[in-house]
DNA sequence: GTCTATATCTGGATAGAC
DNA sequence: GTCTATCCAGATATAGAC
């Protein structure tokens, strides 16, 4: 699949995402009119991601945020009840997005080789479309309070498990050689994450997400197809 | 090389590192007695890394730090002149450590294959010995002010260049197939970083740094040795 | 050299006018 | 629904005693 086709197929605007978010959290938001709420939530999320990814969530004051979002402090507090809750809101929405899209794009594929390929592409393409969300989730995970941190860790392991499962299936069917599915999946995940964590680097090199996807697929294929014998 | 042997060979205690740091920054530190200064710097660095890696540098108050380091606020300010400077101090020391150790361990090796292997091992082993430093440097890079951020980016590209150079040499000598050295090196770096960024995961899986090093070397070898032909 | 005490400021959160 | 004004906890940084 080409990136442009993917982009069209998911059609994710900030407002779409916020609309879904509002529906899921209608009780927590004081503002009653949906149109108004979605519009301002979009502003708040966008500003949170922009400012946080610049200076870190902890260093972003709510005054910064209210200025950048174009809302007063008072208005801001009609949408969030605390800064911590805002963090949770953004993370939660990012996670459910990944689960949904990744699931949709790979569940129906029977061939492990094709499934792995689709998984890699989907993960990279999605992280390209909503890069600020991915970057934010990764970077702000460590600072999470209480049980929210656990959720984030589960999310990390969730996608890893998906890839490990595909690899395991491929080994079972004799398509891949006998590697450690868990470690292989972990390494793959590291490469997928590198795409959105070091965007400045890849951008500077004029590397497209399609080129990167192809590279990762080739590297993984080389490892999964290699002969068992070892030289050296 | 075995990890234990590496560990002995570098013998890096927090105090050794601080001693070197003090020598390089003698003018910035008000306390005159070297013994006292080194001892307290070690406490400050150790506490900074511990608390920051727990809750993030921005969220660490200097009260937290002074308590954790066992120094009063006043004493603390005899060693640092501001919180920003502390950030710079820790990062700077981490960087110079990496350059030194990585350089020492690979410069004399002529065979690209062996050199790559040694580079991977050294990077992983070092990040294991001084994990808090690596983690801190990675996580707190984005929040840096001014030109300090540039230094951190250069450091990222520096090690990447080392590995790209080795791969390029290997290709030139006909030992590796014709891959993109820069992209390959970037992917390798992502895997090396994963080791210290997701320590919780690897620890939980009882994975040793030697096992991980072997895995990465094998994966890279598979890619670099693979046939050019591709199955569809 | 290190401590306690404190000046000063910043940021999260809220009350109440519009 | 949104704004301004304000409260107050907690932060950085410093002064001056010991």
């Amino acid at each position: 699949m080409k990136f442009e086709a993917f982009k069209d197929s998911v059609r994710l605007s900030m407002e779409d995402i916020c609309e879904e978010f509002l529906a899921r959290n209608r009780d927590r938001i004081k503002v009653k009119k949906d149109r108004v709420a979605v519009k301002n939530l979009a502003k708040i999320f966008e500003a949170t991601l922009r400012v946080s990814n610049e200076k870190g969530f902890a260093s972003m004051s709510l005054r910064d945020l209210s200025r950048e979002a174009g809302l007063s402090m008072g208005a801001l507090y009609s949408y969030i009840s605390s800064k911590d809750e805002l963090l949770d809101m953004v993370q939660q929405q990012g996670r459910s997005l990944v689960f949904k899209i990744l699931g949709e794009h790979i569940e129906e594929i029977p061939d492990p080789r094709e499934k792995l390929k689709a998984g890699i592409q989907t993960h990279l393409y999605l992280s390209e479309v909503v890069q600020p969300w991915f970057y934010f989730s990764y970077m702000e995970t460590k600072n999470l309070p209480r049980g929210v941190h656990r959720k984030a860790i589960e999310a990390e392991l969730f996608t890893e498990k998906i890839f490990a499962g595909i690899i395991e299936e491929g080994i079972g069917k004799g398509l891949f050689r006998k590697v450690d599915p868990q470690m292989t999946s972990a390494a793959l995940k590291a490469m997928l994450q590198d795409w959105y964590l070091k965007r400045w680097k890849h951008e500077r090199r004029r590397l497209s997400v399609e080129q990167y996807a192809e590279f990762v697929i080739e590297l993984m294929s080389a490892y999964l197809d290699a002969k068992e014998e070892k030289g050296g």
Side-chain angles (χ1 to χ4, degrees), chain A residues 29-56:
Chain A
I29 285 144
K30 295 199 191 84
V31 175
K32 291 299 163 212
K33 285 186 185 169
D34 282 8
R35 271 186 57 103
V36 177
V38 168
K39 193 191 68 184
N40 284 336
L41 272 175
K43 281 188 196 170
I44 292 169
F45 278 24
E46 187 276 330
T48 301
L49 293 171
R50 180 159 43 82
V51 180
S52 286
N53 290 348
E54 180 79 18
K55 52 160 75 173

Side-chain angles (χ1 to χ4, degrees), chain A residues 123-180:
Chain A
H123 197 289
L124 288 172
Y125 290 178
L126 182 59
S127 72
E128 178 74 2
V129 177
V130 291
Q131 194 266 352
W133 245 287
F134 275 71
Y135 186 86
F136 182 89
S137 292
Y138 189 98
M139 283 304 191
E140 304 300 341
T141 289
K142 65 178 187 315
N143 306 340
L144 297 179
R146 309 172 311 269
V148 196
H149 190 246
R150 244 191 85 218
K151 268 197 212 163
I153 285 184
E154 279 165 21
E156 154 88 21
L157 295 177
F158 174 80
T159 52
E160 202 192 276
K161 232 176 218 170
I162 289 180
F163 285 112
I166 299 172
I167 292 166
E168 211 161 7
E169 204 193 328
I171 296 171
K173 289 191 176 172
L175 291 166
F176 302 146
R177 73 188 179 100
K178 282 177 192 145
V179 299
D180 182 325

